[in-house]
Amino acid sequence: MTETKSRKISKRIVVEGDLRLLTPTALGNGDAESLTDMPLLLDTAGKQPLPLLTGASIAGALRNYLRAYEQGFHTPEVKGNHASLAAELFGAVKGDTGDSDSGDSGGEQSRLIVDDALAHEPTQAEVRDGVRIDGRTRTAEDKFKYDLELLP
């Protein structure tokens, strides 16, 4: 019989807050079939579509902020470093193998459940133009203009 690892929940702490955009923000949905090249991600379950920021995006930003705070901004996260607070809260780094010989238990689930953030009211998106920049010449690439939707 194999032993199962479970997240034995002993306490639940709920943190809520309101997010406020300080600059125009693109919450893209990756949909290629739209009037713009990069449309906003919208929750269409209610009466009116509302801009949506996924919990995975929030968790990724929080994890990266915590990792940068602990280890430095340009320092990559070390696989198997389960002593870090980022790994403790958000689970193992992608690619951890679970190699018991090296002490890497790998693949733990996040201790946090991060829900999606949904706008309180419909917001009119702005449409802006963008161009792809050639990294070598640092100039706009020919025929690579795109449109994107932003929340003001």
Side-chain angles (χ1 to χ4, degrees):
M1 180 180 249
T2 60
E3 181 182 330
T4 59
K5 275 179 122 176
S6 69
R7 302 184 323 174
K8 296 177 179 130
I9 298 172
S10 60
K11 183 192 261 187
R12 184 174 297 204
I13 300 171
V14 177
V15 178
E16 294 181 0
D18 288 327
L19 301 176
R20 190 171 303 189
L21 300 177
L22 300 177
T23 60
T25 303
L27 304 175
N29 69 6
D31 188 1
E33 297 181 23
S34 177
L35 297 176
T36 60
D37 297 314
M38 298 171 69
L40 285 176
L41 180 59
L42 300 172
D43 180 4
T44 57
K47 294 177 185 176
Q48 295 182 334
L50 296 173
L52 174 72
L53 177 58
T54 64
S57 295
I58 298 169
L62 290 172
R63 179 190 183 104
N64 190 54
Y65 176 82
L66 185 57
R67 184 212 45 81
Y69 181 81
E70 284 185 310
Q71 300 173 14
F73 183 66
H74 287 292
T75 306
E77 190 164 358
V78 179
K79 291 181 182 180
N81 182 10
H82 297 285
S84 77
L85 187 54
E88 277 291 313
L89 290 174
F90 294 96
V93 177
K94 183 177 180 181
D96 279 354
T97 61
D99 179 12
S100 59
D101 292 339
S102 66
D104 177 10
S105 57
E108 291 96 8
Q109 292 182 1
S110 172
R111 295 177 186 262
L112 303 178
I113 298 171
V114 182
D115 288 330
D116 298 338
L118 189 61
H120 294 292
E121 57 194 43
T123 305
Q124 182 64 40
E126 296 177 359
V127 178
R128 294 193 185 175
D129 295 333
V131 293
R132 185 189 313 181
I133 302 295
D134 182 328
R136 187 177 46 79
T137 63
R138 298 182 189 229
T139 60
E141 289 191 28
D142 192 30
K143 299 181 182 177
F144 280 99
K145 179 187 166 296
Y146 58 89
D147 299 323
L148 70 153
E149 288 183 319
L150 294 170
L151 289 175

